[in-house]
C-alpha cells in the first residue's frame, strides 16, 4: 500500500513528506509505548501512535520506519515536525482512533508489523 492510499483510507492530513507519498509500506504497528515498539515492531513498518514527543520520531528512525500516523486528532508541535523533516520521516494525522485506523488499514490488506 502506498502512503497516498493510506492517507485516503484514513482521511489523514499530511504534515511532512508530501514528496514521498508514493512510497510503499507492507506492515503497520500501533502503540503509544515506544518501549513496545522497540521490542516488538518489525523494521520498515508504519507506526500509528497518539504519543506526541520527539521519542516517537527517534524510535521510528531507529527502526527505519518511513511514516508515523498520529491518531485521535493529535497534532505534533513544530519541534517534532522539524525533527521528522530532518530525518526524512513522513508524518500524518487522522481524527480516527488507533483501533479504527488499524482496522481500516487491515481491511485494505495491510498486515501487522510485530515480530513473531
Amino acid at each position: 500500500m502506498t502512503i497516498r492510499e493510506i492517507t485516503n483510507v484514513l482521511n489523514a492530513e499530511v504534515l511532512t513528506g508530501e514528496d514521498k507519498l508514493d512510497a510503499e509500506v507492507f506492515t503497520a504497528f500501533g502503540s503509544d509505548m515506544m518501549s513496545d515498539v522497540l521490542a516488538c515492531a518489525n523494521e520498515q513498518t508504519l507506526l500509528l501512535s497518539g504519543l506526541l514527543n520527539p521519542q516517537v520520531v527517534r524510535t521510528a528512525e531507529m527502526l527505519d520506519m518511513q511514516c508515523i500516523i498520529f491518531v485521535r486528532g493529535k497534532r505534533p508541535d513544530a519541534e517534532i515536525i522539524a525533527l521528522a523533516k530532518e530525518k526524512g520521516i513522513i508524518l500524518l494525522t487522522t481524527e480516527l482512533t488507533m483501533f479504527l485506523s488499524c482496522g481500516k488499514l487491515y481491511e485494505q490488506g495491510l498486515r501487522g508489523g510485530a515480530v513473531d
Side-chain angles (χ1 to χ4, degrees):
M1 229 179 152
T2 67
I3 304 294
R4 186 177 314 280
E5 291 170 325
I6 290 166
T7 300
N8 292 333
V9 167
L10 300 181
N11 194 29
E13 178 185 347
V14 180
L15 303 175
T16 66
E18 296 85 359
D19 59 328
K20 299 178 181 181
L21 298 181
D22 292 320
E24 284 193 88
V25 293
F26 302 98
T27 58
F29 189 88
S31 181
D32 287 345
M33 295 191 59
M34 294 304 102
S35 58
D36 284 352
V37 176
L38 287 170
C40 302
N42 288 328
E43 292 184 354
Q44 299 179 341
T45 193
L46 170 78
L47 176 60
L48 294 100
S49 185
L51 187 63
L52 290 176
N53 68 41
Q55 288 309 111
V56 176
V57 176
R58 300 229 182 264
T59 300
E61 177 190 20
M62 288 176 62
L63 293 175
D64 199 23
M65 295 175 164
Q66 59 186 334
C67 182
I68 301 167
I69 301 174
F70 294 101
V71 296
R72 302 187 302 274
K74 301 283 184 102
R75 298 188 68 83
D77 64 21
E79 176 189 1
I80 296 169
I81 292 172
L83 182 59
K85 283 182 181 177
E86 176 187 322
K87 303 300 180 185
I89 296 173
I90 303 162
L91 295 183
L92 307 176
T93 184
T94 181
E95 294 292 325
L96 300 175
T97 64
M98 189 178 310
F99 180 80
L100 286 175
S101 297
C102 291
K104 285 179 172 279
L105 295 175
Y106 187 87
E107 282 180 334
Q108 295 297 314
L110 205 59
R111 294 301 177 241
V115 176
D116 292 331

